[in-house]
Amino acid sequence: MEKYYHIVTYGCQMNVHESEKIAGILCELGYKNCDDAESADIVVFNTCCIRENAENHAFGNIGMLKKLKSIKKDMIIAVGGCMTQQMGKADNLHGKFPYVDIIFGTHNLSNLKNLILQKQKQKKSVIEILDSEGEIVEGEQPFRTSFPNAWVNITYGCNNFCSYCIVPYVRGRERSRKSENIIAEVKDLIKQGYKEITLLGQNVNSYGNDTNGDLSFPELLEKLAQLDGKFRLRFMTSHPKDFSEELAKVIAKYPKICNCVHLPVQSGSNSVLKAMNRKYTAEQYLARVETLKSFVPDCTITTDIIVGFPGETEKDFEDTVELVKKVNYSSAFTFVYSKRKGTVAEKMENQIDEETSKRRIMHLIEVVNSLTREHSKKYIGKTVEILCEDYDAKKNLYLGRDEYGRMGYFESEKNVIGEFINIKVLQANGVSLIGEIVKD
């Protein structure tokens, strides 16, 4: 009799890739993927705690399974990820949702197979939250779901301790994978036909700082860019304090490295940046941008920005808007500050009221969207190379991104998913492009 799994993922691309690793473990146990919890024999929630709404969303969805669990008593419900790794959260979760069968943290994902087997042998819940990060586990076989894109972790954890961020407390200190393991994984992905490789880490450009005699991030990136085959390389996320001229030179040197860098600024105010413990000023950030642009003139930059951080004044916010315009971001992820228990910022005075934060975020979004539209307009009439990722049945169009991350839609008589396609852009709609295939 066939068994099915369903994974619910919250948060960033690192969580998406971890869900692929969870899927690989479940496939090894004989489970097959299904699209809904009702059809599943095991449901896994891979949670995030970066923002409060993600955590509340997870709690809500776990609660919705109570009735289903009462009907399907043999169904296993497992909850893992950042949320469960927080101090006391596993006990809180178990008390609120006693029908959850397995609770695991970020440090023991690789042990999920044993936890499932343990649960199948007993009635009581299995809870395992490790305090120590432990060794990096190599040789995992994720069930990848994002062809022709693939995600590759190069670091785990974070040493930066930004005052608003819970990540170092739930992901642990920075640990770098050995370069030979990363290179071997990327080679294998290229051999399998993957065309875009994204290197992942909380701070990719501090790669190697914790190892003796291994490569720096620019050196690693260069080695990967020298591999045979037609493919793209991306990386995220970069911390501005570690972004170097050496890295800019490597990006400029190799066409396989996308000329699009995600460089989170978080704020354009020096006083807010200091309170955030970001370890750079707005002027230093702009100098990094200038360095990058000097070596890669056509490079586009994306970013993360937090609005409504404790103590943020109108002047601080205006400084942020001004910096956004100076950098001329191609797009940005904008967030209202979310108080996270256990962080330094949680106890800061002058917490910003909801109405003020909402007004500021709406204005910032308007500014960012106007910049994004201007970037998209420049595409009209140009021919761009798209890596086709999928087919939209509703629009009857194929879609994919160029190296700058712009999504392009186009018609094709044949299935071109996984192929590089040149399209002439006819229209630009916000972040999306509409074009036609350029015939050879």
Side-chain angles (χ1 to χ4, degrees), residues 29 101 118 125 127 129 148 150 158 198 226-227 243 255 281 283 339 355 358 361 371 381 408 423 433 436 438 440:
L29 288 169
D101 301 287
Q118 183 181 339
S125 298
I127 302 174
I129 308 293
C158 184
T198 302
Q226 291 171 340
L227 295 177
F243 197 93
T281 63
E283 292 76 17
K339 187 188 294 188
E355 183 179 342
K358 184 177 180 180
I361 195 75
L371 296 175
I423 69 167
L433 312 173
E436 61 182 12
V438 176
D440 294 332

Side-chain angles (χ1 to χ4, degrees), residues 395-398 409-414 416 435-437:
K395 295 181 179 179
N396 195 28
L397 296 172
Y398 285 88
Y409 291 85
F410 58 95
E411 291 183 350
S412 176
E413 296 176 356
K414 64 175 183 176
V416 290
E436 61 182 12
I437 293 179

Side-chain angles (χ1 to χ4, degrees), residues 232 234 385-387 389 400-403 405-408:
R232 292 176 182 164
R234 296 190 192 274
E385 184 181 69
I386 297 289
L387 173 58
E389 300 177 358
R401 299 179 190 275
D402 74 343
E403 70 167 303
R406 276 291 182 273
M407 183 68 77

Side-chain angles (χ1 to χ4, degrees), residues 219-368:
E219 290 169 339
L220 172 66
L221 195 60
E222 184 163 32
K223 282 190 174 293
L224 294 173
Q226 291 171 340
L227 295 177
D228 293 334
K230 182 173 174 56
F231 63 95
R232 292 176 182 164
L233 274 174
R234 296 190 192 274
F235 54 88
M236 62 187 307
T237 295
S238 297
H239 196 296
K241 73 177 177 63
D242 296 312
F243 197 93
S244 65
E245 181 177 307
E246 182 187 4
L247 178 55
K249 288 179 178 178
V250 171
I251 295 170
K253 186 177 179 181
Y254 295 95
K256 289 177 181 177
I257 304 172
C258 292
N259 288 349
C260 178
V261 173
H262 189 66
L263 197 62
V265 67
Q266 305 301 1
S267 175
S269 160
N270 286 338
S271 61
V272 173
L273 288 171
K274 184 176 181 180
M276 287 178 167
N277 193 35
R278 289 292 288 174
K279 302 181 178 70
Y280 56 83
T281 63
E283 292 76 17
Q284 288 169 334
Y285 179 91
L286 291 170
R288 303 288 195 281
V289 170
E290 187 175 338
T291 296
L292 175 58
K293 292 278 191 177
S294 69
F295 289 100
V296 194
D298 62 341
C299 187
T300 62
I301 300 172
T302 61
T303 198
D304 297 337
I305 303 170
I306 296 173
V307 166
F309 189 78
E312 181 188 66
T313 64
E314 283 299 320
K315 177 62 167 59
D316 293 328
F317 176 66
E318 289 168 7
D319 287 345
T320 297
V321 173
E322 187 62 28
L323 183 141
V324 167
K325 293 176 180 178
K326 279 183 181 178
V327 177
N328 190 22
Y329 293 111
S330 64
S331 65
F333 298 98
T334 57
F335 309 97
V336 170
Y337 165 72
S338 179
K339 187 188 294 188
R340 298 284 72 200
K341 188 175 181 180
T343 63
V344 173
E346 178 204 8
K347 297 179 174 63
M348 287 183 176
E349 297 179 353
N350 300 319
Q351 299 282 331
I352 306 302
D353 64 89
E354 185 178 346
E355 183 179 342
T356 299
S357 293
K358 184 177 180 180
R359 172 176 55 79
R360 290 174 182 172
I361 195 75
M362 294 307 293
H363 178 55
L364 181 61
I365 289 172
E366 184 180 331
V367 172
V368 169

